[in-house]
Amino acid sequence: MSMQEYRQLAAGIDLRARQLAAEGVPDSALIFRMMAHTTELQRIWTSTTDQQLAMLCREYPGFYRYASLMEEAAAAERRKPARSYDGLPQLPGPETAAVVAPHGRRDAGE
């Protein structure tokens, strides 16, 4: 994807986040109201460089707000001592690679 395409995705997320903020939607409900944008956020998060991501966050405050909330939610999920999906069997090697590789990963510390 080009930077212009990332900007278009971020602008759409930004617009919706700002609309919800104008309606008085609190952060605790924003994640749920923005579920339709999860795939777009994931695409940006896993495909951009750190510098590109930082630029998008500066240019689109609503995008930054939503991305930050999602990052906080993911960190909170990782801190839980037990989750409903813990204990599920791992996929065998080739299947795991097929599922994980296309989606990439970016640690919260990046």
PDB file of all heavy atoms in Angstrom, residues 58-85:
ATOM      1  N   ARG A  58       0.175  11.711  14.237  1.00  0.00           N
ATOM      2  CA  ARG A  58       0.259  13.173  14.352  1.00  0.00           C
ATOM      3  C   ARG A  58      -0.788  13.856  13.470  1.00  0.00           C
ATOM      4  O   ARG A  58      -1.391  14.847  13.860  1.00  0.00           O
ATOM      5  CB  ARG A  58       1.655  13.666  13.972  1.00  0.00           C
ATOM      6  CG  ARG A  58       2.711  13.445  15.036  1.00  0.00           C
ATOM      7  CD  ARG A  58       4.009  14.177  14.709  1.00  0.00           C
ATOM      8  NE  ARG A  58       4.565  13.822  13.418  1.00  0.00           N
ATOM      9  CZ  ARG A  58       5.391  12.802  13.187  1.00  0.00           C
ATOM     10  NH1 ARG A  58       5.759  12.031  14.172  1.00  0.00           N
ATOM     11  NH2 ARG A  58       5.855  12.561  11.974  1.00  0.00           N
ATOM     12  N   GLU A  59      -0.985  13.328  12.266  1.00  0.00           N
ATOM     13  CA  GLU A  59      -1.895  13.962  11.311  1.00  0.00           C
ATOM     14  C   GLU A  59      -3.371  13.736  11.642  1.00  0.00           C
ATOM     15  O   GLU A  59      -4.213  14.563  11.289  1.00  0.00           O
ATOM     16  CB  GLU A  59      -1.614  13.433   9.906  1.00  0.00           C
ATOM     17  CG  GLU A  59      -0.291  13.883   9.332  1.00  0.00           C
ATOM     18  CD  GLU A  59      -0.006  13.278   7.963  1.00  0.00           C
ATOM     19  OE1 GLU A  59      -0.931  12.745   7.313  1.00  0.00           O
ATOM     20  OE2 GLU A  59       1.165  13.338   7.537  1.00  0.00           O
ATOM     21  N   TYR A  60      -3.667  12.631  12.288  1.00  0.00           N
ATOM     22  CA  TYR A  60      -5.066  12.247  12.526  1.00  0.00           C
ATOM     23  C   TYR A  60      -5.272  11.919  14.003  1.00  0.00           C
ATOM     24  O   TYR A  60      -5.141  10.767  14.427  1.00  0.00           O
ATOM     25  CB  TYR A  60      -5.443  11.048  11.649  1.00  0.00           C
ATOM     26  CG  TYR A  60      -5.250  11.321  10.178  1.00  0.00           C
ATOM     27  CD1 TYR A  60      -4.129  10.847   9.492  1.00  0.00           C
ATOM     28  CD2 TYR A  60      -6.179  12.078   9.472  1.00  0.00           C
ATOM     29  CE1 TYR A  60      -3.951  11.105   8.148  1.00  0.00           C
ATOM     30  CE2 TYR A  60      -6.007  12.350   8.124  1.00  0.00           C
ATOM     31  CZ  TYR A  60      -4.883  11.858   7.469  1.00  0.00           C
ATOM     32  OH  TYR A  60      -4.703  12.132   6.131  1.00  0.00           O
ATOM     33  N   PRO A  61      -5.630  12.914  14.822  1.00  0.00           N
ATOM     34  CA  PRO A  61      -5.773  12.692  16.263  1.00  0.00           C
ATOM     35  C   PRO A  61      -6.830  11.653  16.627  1.00  0.00           C
ATOM     36  O   PRO A  61      -6.675  10.922  17.604  1.00  0.00           O
ATOM     37  CB  PRO A  61      -6.142  14.063  16.817  1.00  0.00           C
ATOM     38  CG  PRO A  61      -6.043  15.021  15.704  1.00  0.00           C
ATOM     39  CD  PRO A  61      -5.839  14.295  14.435  1.00  0.00           C
ATOM     40  N   GLY A  62      -7.903  11.569  15.851  1.00  0.00           N
ATOM     41  CA  GLY A  62      -8.930  10.561  16.128  1.00  0.00           C
ATOM     42  C   GLY A  62      -8.405   9.161  15.868  1.00  0.00           C
ATOM     43  O   GLY A  62      -8.710   8.217  16.605  1.00  0.00           O
ATOM     44  N   PHE A  63      -7.612   9.020  14.828  1.00  0.00           N
ATOM     45  CA  PHE A  63      -6.953   7.752  14.547  1.00  0.00           C
ATOM     46  C   PHE A  63      -6.035   7.382  15.700  1.00  0.00           C
ATOM     47  O   PHE A  63      -6.036   6.255  16.186  1.00  0.00           O
ATOM     48  CB  PHE A  63      -6.161   7.848  13.236  1.00  0.00           C
ATOM     49  CG  PHE A  63      -5.229   6.697  13.008  1.00  0.00           C
ATOM     50  CD1 PHE A  63      -5.702   5.476  12.579  1.00  0.00           C
ATOM     51  CD2 PHE A  63      -3.869   6.834  13.246  1.00  0.00           C
ATOM     52  CE1 PHE A  63      -4.847   4.398  12.382  1.00  0.00           C
ATOM     53  CE2 PHE A  63      -3.007   5.774  13.055  1.00  0.00           C
ATOM     54  CZ  PHE A  63      -3.499   4.548  12.624  1.00  0.00           C
ATOM     55  N   TYR A  64      -5.250   8.358  16.166  1.00  0.00           N
ATOM     56  CA  TYR A  64      -4.339   8.122  17.284  1.00  0.00           C
ATOM     57  C   TYR A  64      -5.109   7.689  18.531  1.00  0.00           C
ATOM     58  O   TYR A  64      -4.709   6.753  19.224  1.00  0.00           O
ATOM     59  CB  TYR A  64      -3.521   9.379  17.573  1.00  0.00           C
ATOM     60  CG  TYR A  64      -2.661   9.247  18.801  1.00  0.00           C
ATOM     61  CD1 TYR A  64      -1.523   8.449  18.781  1.00  0.00           C
ATOM     62  CD2 TYR A  64      -2.993   9.908  19.977  1.00  0.00           C
ATOM     63  CE1 TYR A  64      -0.734   8.311  19.912  1.00  0.00           C
ATOM     64  CE2 TYR A  64      -2.207   9.776  21.111  1.00  0.00           C
ATOM     65  CZ  TYR A  64      -1.085   8.975  21.077  1.00  0.00           C
ATOM     66  OH  TYR A  64      -0.316   8.841  22.202  1.00  0.00           O
ATOM     67  N   ARG A  65      -6.207   8.345  18.803  1.00  0.00           N
ATOM     68  CA  ARG A  65      -7.019   8.012  19.981  1.00  0.00           C
ATOM     69  C   ARG A  65      -7.494   6.570  19.899  1.00  0.00           C
ATOM     70  O   ARG A  65      -7.370   5.797  20.851  1.00  0.00           O
ATOM     71  CB  ARG A  65      -8.209   8.962  20.068  1.00  0.00           C
ATOM     72  CG  ARG A  65      -9.134   8.677  21.223  1.00  0.00           C
ATOM     73  CD  ARG A  65     -10.260   9.688  21.258  1.00  0.00           C
ATOM     74  NE  ARG A  65     -11.201   9.377  22.303  1.00  0.00           N
ATOM     75  CZ  ARG A  65     -12.503   9.553  22.212  1.00  0.00           C
ATOM     76  NH1 ARG A  65     -13.018  10.064  21.103  1.00  0.00           N
ATOM     77  NH2 ARG A  65     -13.299   9.239  23.188  1.00  0.00           N
ATOM     78  N   TYR A  66      -8.044   6.182  18.760  1.00  0.00           N
ATOM     79  CA  TYR A  66      -8.550   4.818  18.583  1.00  0.00           C
ATOM     80  C   TYR A  66      -7.411   3.801  18.655  1.00  0.00           C
ATOM     81  O   TYR A  66      -7.522   2.783  19.343  1.00  0.00           O
ATOM     82  CB  TYR A  66      -9.295   4.717  17.256  1.00  0.00           C
ATOM     83  CG  TYR A  66      -9.778   3.338  16.914  1.00  0.00           C
ATOM     84  CD1 TYR A  66     -10.584   2.612  17.782  1.00  0.00           C
ATOM     85  CD2 TYR A  66      -9.430   2.743  15.712  1.00  0.00           C
ATOM     86  CE1 TYR A  66     -11.024   1.335  17.461  1.00  0.00           C
ATOM     87  CE2 TYR A  66      -9.875   1.476  15.376  1.00  0.00           C
ATOM     88  CZ  TYR A  66     -10.670   0.774  16.258  1.00  0.00           C
ATOM     89  OH  TYR A  66     -11.096  -0.487  15.924  1.00  0.00           O
ATOM     90  N   ALA A  67      -6.303   4.073  17.990  1.00  0.00           N
ATOM     91  CA  ALA A  67      -5.165   3.148  18.004  1.00  0.00           C
ATOM     92  C   ALA A  67      -4.628   2.986  19.427  1.00  0.00           C
ATOM     93  O   ALA A  67      -4.295   1.871  19.849  1.00  0.00           O
ATOM     94  CB  ALA A  67      -4.068   3.641  17.066  1.00  0.00           C
ATOM     95  N   SER A  68      -4.552   4.074  20.167  1.00  0.00           N
ATOM     96  CA  SER A  68      -4.066   4.016  21.546  1.00  0.00           C
ATOM     97  C   SER A  68      -4.985   3.182  22.423  1.00  0.00           C
ATOM     98  O   SER A  68      -4.524   2.378  23.236  1.00  0.00           O
ATOM     99  CB  SER A  68      -3.940   5.421  22.130  1.00  0.00           C
ATOM    100  OG  SER A  68      -2.971   6.156  21.437  1.00  0.00           O
ATOM    101  N   LEU A  69      -6.284   3.379  22.250  1.00  0.00           N
ATOM    102  CA  LEU A  69      -7.244   2.599  23.038  1.00  0.00           C
ATOM    103  C   LEU A  69      -7.145   1.107  22.712  1.00  0.00           C
ATOM    104  O   LEU A  69      -7.208   0.267  23.610  1.00  0.00           O
ATOM    105  CB  LEU A  69      -8.670   3.097  22.785  1.00  0.00           C
ATOM    106  CG  LEU A  69      -9.002   4.461  23.362  1.00  0.00           C
ATOM    107  CD1 LEU A  69     -10.370   4.921  22.867  1.00  0.00           C
ATOM    108  CD2 LEU A  69      -8.961   4.422  24.883  1.00  0.00           C
ATOM    109  N   MET A  70      -6.978   0.800  21.445  1.00  0.00           N
ATOM    110  CA  MET A  70      -6.848  -0.609  21.049  1.00  0.00           C
ATOM    111  C   MET A  70      -5.553  -1.205  21.598  1.00  0.00           C
ATOM    112  O   MET A  70      -5.526  -2.358  22.041  1.00  0.00           O
ATOM    113  CB  MET A  70      -6.909  -0.747  19.533  1.00  0.00           C
ATOM    114  CG  MET A  70      -8.281  -0.464  18.959  1.00  0.00           C
ATOM    115  SD  MET A  70      -9.549  -1.621  19.523  1.00  0.00           S
ATOM    116  CE  MET A  70      -9.129  -3.044  18.506  1.00  0.00           C
ATOM    117  N   GLU A  71      -4.483  -0.434  21.593  1.00  0.00           N
ATOM    118  CA  GLU A  71      -3.213  -0.906  22.142  1.00  0.00           C
ATOM    119  C   GLU A  71      -3.342  -1.145  23.644  1.00  0.00           C
ATOM    120  O   GLU A  71      -2.861  -2.150  24.171  1.00  0.00           O
ATOM    121  CB  GLU A  71      -2.111   0.101  21.846  1.00  0.00           C
ATOM    122  CG  GLU A  71      -0.735  -0.405  22.212  1.00  0.00           C
ATOM    123  CD  GLU A  71       0.368   0.535  21.768  1.00  0.00           C
ATOM    124  OE1 GLU A  71       0.084   1.653  21.324  1.00  0.00           O
ATOM    125  OE2 GLU A  71       1.520   0.124  21.873  1.00  0.00           O
ATOM    126  N   GLU A  72      -4.004  -0.227  24.351  1.00  0.00           N
ATOM    127  CA  GLU A  72      -4.227  -0.395  25.783  1.00  0.00           C
ATOM    128  C   GLU A  72      -5.072  -1.630  26.064  1.00  0.00           C
ATOM    129  O   GLU A  72      -4.805  -2.380  27.004  1.00  0.00           O
ATOM    130  CB  GLU A  72      -4.908   0.839  26.364  1.00  0.00           C
ATOM    131  CG  GLU A  72      -4.031   2.056  26.444  1.00  0.00           C
ATOM    132  CD  GLU A  72      -4.803   3.306  26.833  1.00  0.00           C
ATOM    133  OE1 GLU A  72      -5.920   3.190  27.395  1.00  0.00           O
ATOM    134  OE2 GLU A  72      -4.295   4.403  26.562  1.00  0.00           O
ATOM    135  N   ALA A  73      -6.109  -1.850  25.257  1.00  0.00           N
ATOM    136  CA  ALA A  73      -6.976  -3.019  25.435  1.00  0.00           C
ATOM    137  C   ALA A  73      -6.199  -4.317  25.201  1.00  0.00           C
ATOM    138  O   ALA A  73      -6.364  -5.288  25.938  1.00  0.00           O
ATOM    139  CB  ALA A  73      -8.172  -2.942  24.491  1.00  0.00           C
ATOM    140  N   ALA A  74      -5.340  -4.323  24.193  1.00  0.00           N
ATOM    141  CA  ALA A  74      -4.529  -5.512  23.917  1.00  0.00           C
ATOM    142  C   ALA A  74      -3.560  -5.778  25.060  1.00  0.00           C
ATOM    143  O   ALA A  74      -3.369  -6.934  25.470  1.00  0.00           O
ATOM    144  CB  ALA A  74      -3.779  -5.345  22.601  1.00  0.00           C
ATOM    145  N   ALA A  75      -2.958  -4.721  25.596  1.00  0.00           N
ATOM    146  CA  ALA A  75      -2.035  -4.884  26.721  1.00  0.00           C
ATOM    147  C   ALA A  75      -2.771  -5.410  27.947  1.00  0.00           C
ATOM    148  O   ALA A  75      -2.266  -6.289  28.648  1.00  0.00           O
ATOM    149  CB  ALA A  75      -1.346  -3.558  27.032  1.00  0.00           C
ATOM    150  N   ALA A  76      -3.967  -4.904  28.194  1.00  0.00           N
ATOM    151  CA  ALA A  76      -4.767  -5.376  29.322  1.00  0.00           C
ATOM    152  C   ALA A  76      -5.126  -6.856  29.150  1.00  0.00           C
ATOM    153  O   ALA A  76      -5.101  -7.633  30.115  1.00  0.00           O
ATOM    154  CB  ALA A  76      -6.032  -4.531  29.467  1.00  0.00           C
ATOM    155  N   GLU A  77      -5.432  -7.247  27.939  1.00  0.00           N
ATOM    156  CA  GLU A  77      -5.758  -8.643  27.655  1.00  0.00           C
ATOM    157  C   GLU A  77      -4.552  -9.545  27.922  1.00  0.00           C
ATOM    158  O   GLU A  77      -4.686 -10.618  28.499  1.00  0.00           O
ATOM    159  CB  GLU A  77      -6.229  -8.792  26.203  1.00  0.00           C
ATOM    160  CG  GLU A  77      -6.641 -10.183  25.807  1.00  0.00           C
ATOM    161  CD  GLU A  77      -7.907 -10.682  26.482  1.00  0.00           C
ATOM    162  OE1 GLU A  77      -8.662  -9.883  27.074  1.00  0.00           O
ATOM    163  OE2 GLU A  77      -8.143 -11.899  26.425  1.00  0.00           O
ATOM    164  N   ARG A  78      -3.374  -9.085  27.525  1.00  0.00           N
ATOM    165  CA  ARG A  78      -2.161  -9.879  27.752  1.00  0.00           C
ATOM    166  C   ARG A  78      -1.837 -10.014  29.236  1.00  0.00           C
ATOM    167  O   ARG A  78      -1.225 -10.993  29.654  1.00  0.00           O
ATOM    168  CB  ARG A  78      -0.965  -9.254  27.027  1.00  0.00           C
ATOM    169  CG  ARG A  78      -0.975  -9.469  25.532  1.00  0.00           C
ATOM    170  CD  ARG A  78       0.338  -9.039  24.887  1.00  0.00           C
ATOM    171  NE  ARG A  78       0.665  -7.642  25.102  1.00  0.00           N
ATOM    172  CZ  ARG A  78       0.275  -6.637  24.323  1.00  0.00           C
ATOM    173  NH1 ARG A  78      -0.485  -6.876  23.267  1.00  0.00           N
ATOM    174  NH2 ARG A  78       0.618  -5.395  24.591  1.00  0.00           N
ATOM    175  N   ARG A  79      -2.222  -9.033  30.043  1.00  0.00           N
ATOM    176  CA  ARG A  79      -1.931  -9.064  31.485  1.00  0.00           C
ATOM    177  C   ARG A  79      -2.877  -9.965  32.262  1.00  0.00           C
ATOM    178  O   ARG A  79      -2.591 -10.297  33.407  1.00  0.00           O
ATOM    179  CB  ARG A  79      -1.981  -7.658  32.066  1.00  0.00           C
ATOM    180  CG  ARG A  79      -0.806  -6.790  31.685  1.00  0.00           C
ATOM    181  CD  ARG A  79      -0.774  -5.500  32.483  1.00  0.00           C
ATOM    182  NE  ARG A  79      -1.965  -4.691  32.314  1.00  0.00           N
ATOM    183  CZ  ARG A  79      -2.124  -3.734  31.400  1.00  0.00           C
ATOM    184  NH1 ARG A  79      -1.146  -3.489  30.547  1.00  0.00           N
ATOM    185  NH2 ARG A  79      -3.232  -3.034  31.320  1.00  0.00           N
ATOM    186  N   LYS A  80      -3.987 -10.350  31.682  1.00  0.00           N
ATOM    187  CA  LYS A  80      -4.951 -11.193  32.390  1.00  0.00           C
ATOM    188  C   LYS A  80      -4.307 -12.523  32.759  1.00  0.00           C
ATOM    189  O   LYS A  80      -3.614 -13.134  31.944  1.00  0.00           O
ATOM    190  CB  LYS A  80      -6.169 -11.464  31.513  1.00  0.00           C
ATOM    191  CG  LYS A  80      -7.110 -10.300  31.378  1.00  0.00           C
ATOM    192  CD  LYS A  80      -8.316 -10.723  30.563  1.00  0.00           C
ATOM    193  CE  LYS A  80      -9.320  -9.617  30.426  1.00  0.00           C
ATOM    194  NZ  LYS A  80     -10.472 -10.051  29.618  1.00  0.00           N
ATOM    195  N   PRO A  81      -4.569 -12.993  33.983  1.00  0.00           N
ATOM    196  CA  PRO A  81      -3.986 -14.277  34.380  1.00  0.00           C
ATOM    197  C   PRO A  81      -4.592 -15.458  33.616  1.00  0.00           C
ATOM    198  O   PRO A  81      -3.941 -16.470  33.426  1.00  0.00           O
ATOM    199  CB  PRO A  81      -4.288 -14.371  35.874  1.00  0.00           C
ATOM    200  CG  PRO A  81      -5.402 -13.417  36.115  1.00  0.00           C
ATOM    201  CD  PRO A  81      -5.319 -12.364  35.050  1.00  0.00           C
ATOM    202  N   ALA A  82      -5.818 -15.317  33.199  1.00  0.00           N
ATOM    203  CA  ALA A  82      -6.480 -16.380  32.444  1.00  0.00           C
ATOM    204  C   ALA A  82      -7.447 -15.744  31.456  1.00  0.00           C
ATOM    205  O   ALA A  82      -8.062 -14.724  31.739  1.00  0.00           O
ATOM    206  CB  ALA A  82      -7.229 -17.318  33.379  1.00  0.00           C
ATOM    207  N   ARG A  83      -7.534 -16.359  30.290  1.00  0.00           N
ATOM    208  CA  ARG A  83      -8.444 -15.871  29.262  1.00  0.00           C
ATOM    209  C   ARG A  83      -9.279 -17.047  28.782  1.00  0.00           C
ATOM    210  O   ARG A  83      -8.871 -18.205  28.896  1.00  0.00           O
ATOM    211  CB  ARG A  83      -7.642 -15.248  28.114  1.00  0.00           C
ATOM    212  CG  ARG A  83      -6.833 -14.032  28.546  1.00  0.00           C
ATOM    213  CD  ARG A  83      -5.851 -13.608  27.498  1.00  0.00           C
ATOM    214  NE  ARG A  83      -4.883 -14.655  27.231  1.00  0.00           N
ATOM    215  CZ  ARG A  83      -3.597 -14.607  27.558  1.00  0.00           C
ATOM    216  NH1 ARG A  83      -3.115 -13.557  28.149  1.00  0.00           N
ATOM    217  NH2 ARG A  83      -2.780 -15.586  27.273  1.00  0.00           N
ATOM    218  N   SER A  84     -10.420 -16.767  28.202  1.00  0.00           N
ATOM    219  CA  SER A  84     -11.335 -17.825  27.775  1.00  0.00           C
ATOM    220  C   SER A  84     -10.718 -18.750  26.738  1.00  0.00           C
ATOM    221  O   SER A  84     -11.106 -19.900  26.614  1.00  0.00           O
ATOM    222  CB  SER A  84     -12.634 -17.223  27.237  1.00  0.00           C
ATOM    223  OG  SER A  84     -12.359 -16.407  26.115  1.00  0.00           O
ATOM    224  N   TYR A  85      -9.732 -18.273  26.003  1.00  0.00           N
ATOM    225  CA  TYR A  85      -9.128 -19.082  24.959  1.00  0.00           C
ATOM    226  C   TYR A  85      -7.836 -19.758  25.415  1.00  0.00           C
ATOM    227  O   TYR A  85      -7.201 -20.460  24.641  1.00  0.00           O
ATOM    228  CB  TYR A  85      -8.861 -18.242  23.703  1.00  0.00           C
ATOM    229  CG  TYR A  85      -8.133 -16.959  23.971  1.00  0.00           C
ATOM    230  CD1 TYR A  85      -6.750 -16.932  24.045  1.00  0.00           C
ATOM    231  CD2 TYR A  85      -8.832 -15.772  24.165  1.00  0.00           C
ATOM    232  CE1 TYR A  85      -6.072 -15.753  24.300  1.00  0.00           C
ATOM    233  CE2 TYR A  85      -8.162 -14.595  24.409  1.00  0.00           C
ATOM    234  CZ  TYR A  85      -6.782 -14.590  24.481  1.00  0.00           C
ATOM    235  OH  TYR A  85      -6.120 -13.421  24.732  1.00  0.00           O
TER     236      TYR A  85
END
